[in-house]
Amino acid sequence: MAISENALKPATIASLAPFLAIGVVAVLLPFVGNDYWAVIGTRAAIYWVLVAGLNLIVGFAGQLAIGYVALLTVGAYVTSILAAGTVLPPVPLPLCFAAAAGVGALFGVLVGLPALRLRTFYFAISTLGFATIVTQIALAWRSVTGGGVGLAGPEFPPPFNTAWGFYGLCLGAASFATWISANIAHSRFGRALVAVRDADVAAEANGISKAILLIPIFLLGGAMAAVAGGLFATLQTYITPDAFTFDLSIMFFIAILIGGRGSILGPMIGTIVLTILPEAAAPLASWSTFLYAALLLVIVLAVPGGIADLIDFKNRRAITEERMIVPKPALLPQLFAHRPTPAALTLNGVVLAFGGVRALDGVDIVVRPGEVHGLIGPNGSGKTTALNVISGYYAPQEGEARIGGDPLPAGRPELRAGLGIARTFQRPRLVAAETVLENVMIGGTISGRAGFLATLLSLPGRGRDERELEARATRALQAVGLEALAGVKAGRLQHGEQRFVEIARALMLAPAILMLDEPAAGLSSDEIRRLGELIAEIAKQGVGVLLVEHHADFIFEICRHVTVLDQGRVLAAGTPAEIRSHREVVDAYLGR
Ligand code: ADP
Ligand code: MG
């Protein structure tokens, strides 16, 4: 593993320690165990090659792929058929595995594609359907697969043809699988996966396209599963379709669930435990499915976060109670060094009705670069809906939104970040299970340079991206006054603090337009004052700020222009002084 500056931090060493411990046990196993243990160890290593890839799909991206045994089957048959030379002339082993990885990657995407359209449950069923189809084809296509009789698995040359030799090879494969999955997990891709899982709307607003993100993950997961399949065929020495049971699929899935979502160590321990468990309970072999299910129930009920949560001691420490948000607006110019060209945001005659309710009824708004534009109005007057139209979540029935004269395509919210439009949400949308710093880094996803392959193999670009993102996120956190909480899981923060984390995340884009949806809700009066200073300073960087608020005084103090909405219509628009003296506004809203 390349030693970066990162690897020398005590926190990094602490997080590597459990992996080293497992590695030491694995390396010592041949010196203390017999051939029986060689088989179990080999099996655990092979399963992990599959689970490490599947973990990115299930544990990180939250996609319920439960029929993954199908890809193990595909890999086992492709390698065995090519190595046996019954259909084509015999192919050298490395090529057999390369072919299996290729076919597995292809099938990985085919199985995964429905996830882009189907809701979780239906996707889970579609992966199961695929598993059934693969088994049926293996049974029926006798001339190639040997049907129910099966065929011999590939044989490795010395020194890998002994029990411990093959164990060593599989251990190497498992280590490599761990390394590449960790490279992805600890990168903008890994953080984006978790964002898609836990905060998909915010992920889109930060420029993350679920489809573009998931396709390389499905390719990788499929390739890793198929390679595991080839090794599995060698371990079995002979494969038949009934070696690839539904139980196995469930086992992979449960290993990830009991391991804990968004962790690598947890599912690794889960895989090892679930491989050994049926052996330890050999007399109970016929009960193994029952045991898996029971174990799953216990974990889900007692420790919903899985093993990863059990061993996460750091996040059980109390966070300091005496904490105040003190932004440092002076740091903002550093964040806006590479700003998109300033551009005005306009809404022209936007109409949007939900059934009978006209949430927006001909709304015109212009937000100019460098000015704070207040959007006020009673509850339900259409403020959030206006932001959602700009974000692209809704297509207006009439009128349009534009930035710098270009229309904003509706239905493509993931394009907004690239156009320099950032936002926060009325109800904060953070990844509760990730640290504050990681949440802010999600905001910089689209500025990463290293591609998927470079990240997978930890080429220098990945390290550069990570250092750059971390430095910028740290600066953004300092600017909003939350740097003391950088290492705390976002779910443990108070609502007011979460709003500031969202502002920091939005600042990562160095946006031309920043939309804030009721950022002052739940703040103390001191904090509101400081928030006002921060927003004013953001506008000074040339950013057009569209500020939705309830607190009228707060708005009047920092806005240059104010638009008042009432039942989807613009009741009044003008300077704070004009609004303050607008009779209808005073009667209907300000109530003074
Ligand atoms: P505000 O942010 O000003 O409090 P909203 O923009 O959230 O108001 O809502 C404006 C109106 O549109 C409300 O009557 C609300 O019930 C309705 N509305 C908003 N979103 C939806 C939706 N997705 N489906 C149906 N009605 C909606
Ligand atoms: Mg609202």
Side-chain angles (χ1 to χ4, degrees):
M1 194 180 298
I3 302 287
S4 65
E5 295 148 42
N6 244 351
L8 302 177
K9 284 189 201 161
T12 318
I13 294 172
S15 65
L16 283 180
F19 290 101
L20 286 178
I22 294 174
V24 167
V25 172
V27 169
L28 291 181
L29 193 61
F31 301 99
V32 294
N34 51 21
D35 277 10
Y36 169 71
W37 278 102
V39 172
I40 296 175
T42 307
R43 194 177 298 150
I46 293 173
Y47 287 166
W48 173 244
V49 172
L50 180 145
V51 174
L54 183 62
N55 184 33
L56 293 174
I57 297 168
V58 175
F60 282 79
Q63 307 296 312
L64 302 185
I66 51 180
Y68 238 57
V69 75
L71 291 153
L72 189 80
T73 317
V74 167
Y77 274 98
V78 171
T79 42
S80 302
I81 291 166
L82 290 180
T86 45
V87 181
L88 301 166
V91 176
L93 261 192
L95 281 185
C96 295
F97 274 85
V103 176
L106 188 71
F107 277 101
V109 172
L110 281 181
V111 187
L113 278 183
L116 306 183
R117 305 211 129 250
L118 297 180
R119 288 264 141 223
T120 47
F121 174 73
Y122 298 97
F123 173 59
I125 297 297
S126 78
T127 64
L128 272 187
F130 180 72
T132 313
I133 293 171
V134 168
T135 311
Q136 291 307 318
I137 291 176
L139 265 178
W141 200 3
R142 272 197 215 108
S143 58
V144 173
T145 64
V149 181
L151 79 166
E155 271 178 50
F156 277 84
F160 304 119
N161 57 349
T162 64
W164 288 114
F166 188 56
Y167 168 79
L169 180 77
C170 293
L171 198 59
S175 309
F176 185 70
T178 311
W179 182 65
I180 57 177
S181 81
N183 286 341
I184 293 296
H186 302 293
S187 76
R188 63 191 180 113
F189 294 99
R191 283 184 296 271
L193 288 173
V194 177
V196 163
R197 181 190 79 196
D198 286 352
D200 55 341
V201 173
E204 280 180 331
N206 284 289
I208 297 165
S209 154
K210 188 176 162 188
I212 293 175
L213 177 69
L214 284 185
I215 284 171
I217 297 292
F218 286 138
L219 285 169
L220 177 67
M224 289 169 79
V227 167
L231 296 171
F232 183 78
T234 301
L235 179 68
Q236 298 281 89
T237 64
Y238 201 85
I239 54 167
T240 54
D242 55 10
F244 304 92
T245 59
F246 178 61
D247 281 10
L248 210 47
S249 234
I250 297 296
M251 190 213 110
F252 298 145
F253 194 74
I254 293 180
I256 293 169
L257 287 196
I258 66 173
R261 306 205 311 169
S263 154
I264 291 178
L265 180 62
M268 181 188 274
I269 297 175
T271 306
I272 296 170
V273 168
L274 288 190
T275 312
I276 297 175
L277 196 67
E279 305 296 330
L284 299 175
S286 54
W287 290 79
S288 68
T289 313
F290 173 80
L291 282 180
Y292 290 159
L295 191 63
L296 179 67
L297 273 184
V298 169
I299 292 270
V300 168
L301 292 177
V303 211
I307 298 170
D309 213 29
L310 270 184
I311 53 184
D312 181 14
F313 303 108
K314 203 175 91 196
N315 266 288
R316 247 166 279 149
R317 255 182 255 146
I319 29 180
T320 154
E321 277 306 317
E322 298 251 326
R323 48 193 210 256
M324 245 193 323
I325 308 173
V326 186
K328 298 179 194 63
L331 293 173
L332 286 170
Q334 296 180 38
L335 282 169
F336 281 88
H338 311 283
R339 183 159 33 95
T341 22
L345 174 79
T346 50
L347 285 184
N348 291 325
V350 168
V351 174
L352 182 72
F354 296 106
V357 182
R358 283 172 91 85
L360 295 177
D361 197 357
V363 171
D364 299 305
I365 296 176
V366 182
V367 183
R368 292 187 186 80
E371 76 170 33
V372 184
H373 191 118
L375 188 58
I376 62 175
N379 259 330
S381 56
K383 305 181 297 291
T384 298
T385 305
L387 299 200
N388 286 342
V389 165
I390 298 166
S391 287
Y393 300 130
Y394 301 134
Q397 280 113 15
E398 285 173 42
E400 60 174 3
R402 285 174 173 271
I403 183 160
D406 299 325
L408 289 170
R412 304 286 307 279
E414 74 279 5
L415 299 180
R416 299 301 187 267
L419 292 167
I421 301 177
R423 70 171 290 179
T424 66
F425 296 89
Q426 188 168 352
R427 203 180 55 78
R429 295 173 187 270
L430 296 173
V431 180
E434 300 252 281
T435 66
V436 167
L437 184 71
E438 285 164 332
N439 269 282
V440 176
M441 286 167 82
I442 288 170
T445 301
I446 61 166
S447 64
R449 294 267 163 272
F452 190 79
L453 260 185
T455 304
L456 184 78
L457 299 173
S458 201
L459 301 184
R462 169 175 169 268
R464 220 178 304 129
D465 271 2
E466 284 297 283
R467 281 191 296 277
E468 202 267 335
L469 270 180
E470 191 178 328
R472 208 142 49 88
T474 305
R475 220 170 295 140
L477 274 176
Q478 286 168 340
V480 302
L482 279 182
E483 71 274 24
L485 298 176
V488 177
K489 296 225 158 134
R492 303 179 71 198
L493 265 51
Q494 293 156 3
H495 243 61
E497 293 167 330
Q498 296 193 355
R499 285 174 205 290
F500 277 83
V501 177
E502 283 211 324
I503 296 177
R505 185 177 66 191
L507 290 176
M508 288 293 281
L509 282 171
I513 297 288
L514 174 63
M515 305 191 283
L516 303 170
D517 200 348
E518 305 202 12
L523 299 187
S524 70
S525 55
D526 267 349
E527 284 169 337
I528 293 182
R529 188 178 44 75
R530 291 193 206 110
L531 173 68
E533 289 164 9
L534 178 68
I535 293 174
E537 196 61 36
I538 291 173
K540 270 198 200 139
Q541 312 303 314
V543 182
V545 181
L546 181 55
L547 172 64
V548 170
E549 250 312 321
H550 250 352
H551 300 70
D553 294 335
F554 176 59
I555 284 274
F556 291 147
E557 208 174 301
I558 64 169
C559 293
R560 192 176 306 166
H561 280 273
V562 179
T563 300
V564 186
L565 286 184
D566 187 33
Q567 298 186 26
R569 276 174 217 230
V570 177
L571 181 63
T575 64
E578 286 163 352
I579 300 297
R580 240 195 269 259
S581 55
H582 194 283
R583 208 168 44 81
E584 271 177 274
V585 175
V586 174
D587 287 350
Y589 181 54
L590 299 177
R592 270 175 275 161

